[in-house]
Structures are given as C-alpha cells and as structure tokens.
C-alpha cells in the first residue's frame, strides 16, 4: 500500500519522462469553472494531461448526490483511459490549491482500486518558483485501458450517515472551515450548519503557512481526535461541502497509516437535499 502519497516537485522532475508516468493537471476554481482549463492552456508541466473536476471527475448534478456527484465507475474508468491512464500507470496529480483538487483524483483512483497515485506537494506555483520547465504544448494522448476494481468500503452514502447519528462507534468529520461548520455563514449551499455529531477539522489544517503538506508529527496533532477514534476501533467518515475538500483529510489519514477512513462523497450538499435530515450548528467538540 502507498502510505506516503505526497511527492515533491524535485521527485517529479526526476521522473517526469518515465514512460509509465502520467501527470495530471487538476487546476480548478470554484465559481469559475473554465479557469483551470484556461490556465492549463497557457502553461503546465510538460507532458501533463488535464482533467476537469466537474466535467471529468464528477457526474452531472441531480436532485441528490451533492454538487460534485461521484461518476459511475465504468464511465470514470473510460475517461481515465482516454487521458492515457492505464491500470499499470503511475499517476501524479497537481493543482494550485494546496492539493485540494489533486486529492480528489487521488481518492477516485484508489476507489477504483488503483494505488499507484501521488499528489505533488505545493502545486504548480512551487513548480514554477523552482524554475522547473513549463509548456503550453498539449500532449498527444495514446488511449489506454483502465480496468476498475471498485473498493466499496471506502465510500459512505446518506443511509450510512443516517445510521451513524448517535452511534458512538462512528466519528463524523466535517472538513469545511469553522464558520461554515458552525452555521455562521454558508456562501455556497442552500442551508447552513453541519451533520449532527460531527467534529470540525478544516482541510487546510493539513498544510503549513506556505501551502506545503505538514510533516507527520504535525499532521497527527491536527487530526488527533480522528486518530484517537480510529485507534479505539471506531469508524471515521469524512465529509465537506461536496466531497472534494474532504479528500485532503482522507489523504492525510492514509499517509499516517489509517486508510480505513471513509468519504461521504455527497457530503453536506447531498445531506441537505433530503428535507427530513437533521441539521446542527455551533461547536460539538
């Protein structure tokens, strides 16, 4: 199992032309969906392909499933194959948001049974700041065959979350910022608050002030309540607004040796799509 999926720009620079390596640009800006693709067209890591969070790595939005619904596994596998990712590929993803969107691809690939996937630390800005090569040339992609082997135990749905309410054996972890968790503001979704019983661990807490991933001792401190729960044999289910920003917390737990943490993929935007689901506010830690 790939315990440390974070790699440095120098690590990638040394391997970027190896034939089994596929580099994926996952840049995206919420509320400006074309900006990532436009940034890729201007400048990207040589050889990188572009995958869009909404067009490629999510299903169309429906009544339920949240703002970034999970794609069907076979459809996602086909899209990955068209991007040149095979079942034998090593994949390195990057973005310019501290790994927020790259971690979504990391999680999706692992969900499909593919472990050889990494996130580049610090993102494209660090690559540029290091003086490493960039290009505006789009790679010619040779389609590949990606055969999924879905790991259903990585995923939680709304029914599992409902059953978890009041269950001392399950810890719910909200990855949004503290004000959204507390219900003080909600700039994106239709209702404010959090799932009852959830604790808050903002996903950016896994990064330092420069946007680099924390070292393991600091990660353990940031995620201490979750680690205690897992060490006690409890289950941890991580969520956010739409199943994207929870992925860095899931990745951090994986890095620390806790791959059993689940993702509630629909997250808050799915939870509030059911009118009978309860909503909490304030602090619960």
């Amino acid at each position: 199992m790939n315990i440390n999926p974070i790699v440095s720009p120098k690590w990638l620079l040394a391997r970027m032309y190896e034939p089994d390596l596929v580099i994926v640009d996952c840049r995206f800006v919420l509320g400006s969906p074309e900006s990532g693709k436009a940034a890729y067209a201007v400048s990207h890591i040589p050889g990188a392909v572009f995958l869009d969070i909404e067009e490629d790595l999510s299903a169309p939005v429906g009544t339920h499933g949240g703002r970034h619904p999970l794609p069907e596994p076979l459809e996602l596998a086909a899209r990955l194959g068209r991007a040149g990712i095979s079942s034998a590929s090593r994949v390195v993803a990057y973005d310019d948001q501290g790994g927020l969107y790259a971690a979504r691809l990391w999680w999706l690939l692992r969900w499909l049974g593919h472990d050889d996937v990494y996130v580049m630390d610090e993102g494209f800005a660090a690559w540029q700041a290091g003086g490493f090569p960039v290009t505006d040339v789009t790679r010619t992609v040779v389609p590949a065959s990606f055969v999924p082997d879905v790991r259903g135990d990585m995923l939680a749905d709304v029914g599992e979350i409902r059953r978890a309410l009041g269950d001392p054996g399950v810890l719910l972890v909200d990855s949004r910022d503290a004000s959204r968790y507390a219900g003080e503001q909600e700039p994106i979704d239709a209702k404010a608050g959090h799932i009852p019983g959830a604790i808050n661990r903002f996903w950016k807490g896994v990064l330092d002030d420069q946007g680099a991933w924390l070292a393991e001792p600091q990660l353990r401190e940031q995620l201490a309540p979750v680690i205690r729960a897992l060490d006690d044999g409890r289950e941890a289910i991580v969520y956010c607004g739409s199943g994207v920003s929870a992925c860095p917390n899931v990745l951090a737990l994986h890095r620390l040796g806790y791959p059993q943490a689940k993702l509630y993929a629909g997250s808050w935007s799915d939870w509030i799509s059911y009118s009978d689901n309860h909503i909490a506010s304030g602090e619960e830690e």
Side-chain angles (χ1 to χ4, degrees), residues 255-271:
R255 181 181 174 189
L256 294 172
Y258 297 92
Q260 69 269 41
K262 292 185 177 182
L263 174 70
Y264 174 25
S267 286
W268 179 248
S269 52
D270 177 59
W271 183 257

Side-chain angles (χ1 to χ4, degrees), residues 37-123:
K37 189 180 297 183
Y40 170 82
V42 171
S43 182
H44 55 265
I45 296 176
V49 297
F50 181 78
L51 289 176
D52 185 83
I53 290 297
E54 294 187 340
E55 292 183 5
D56 300 313
L57 304 180
S58 301
V61 175
T63 303
H64 303 297
R67 285 184 279 108
H68 294 111
L70 280 187
E72 290 296 324
L74 289 177
E75 292 179 6
L76 176 58
R79 182 65 192 90
L80 295 171
R82 290 194 298 272
I85 299 172
S86 76
S87 299
S89 297
R90 286 182 299 160
V91 180
V92 177
Y94 70 90
D95 57 34
D96 57 3
Q97 299 281 342
L100 168 60
Y101 299 109
R104 165 79 167 201
L105 178 59
W106 170 86
W107 188 91
L108 287 170
L109 280 164
R110 291 200 64 254
W111 176 54
L112 294 187
H114 191 82
D115 285 323
D116 209 356
V117 54
Y118 305 82
V119 169
M120 187 180 78
D121 199 7
E122 299 182 86

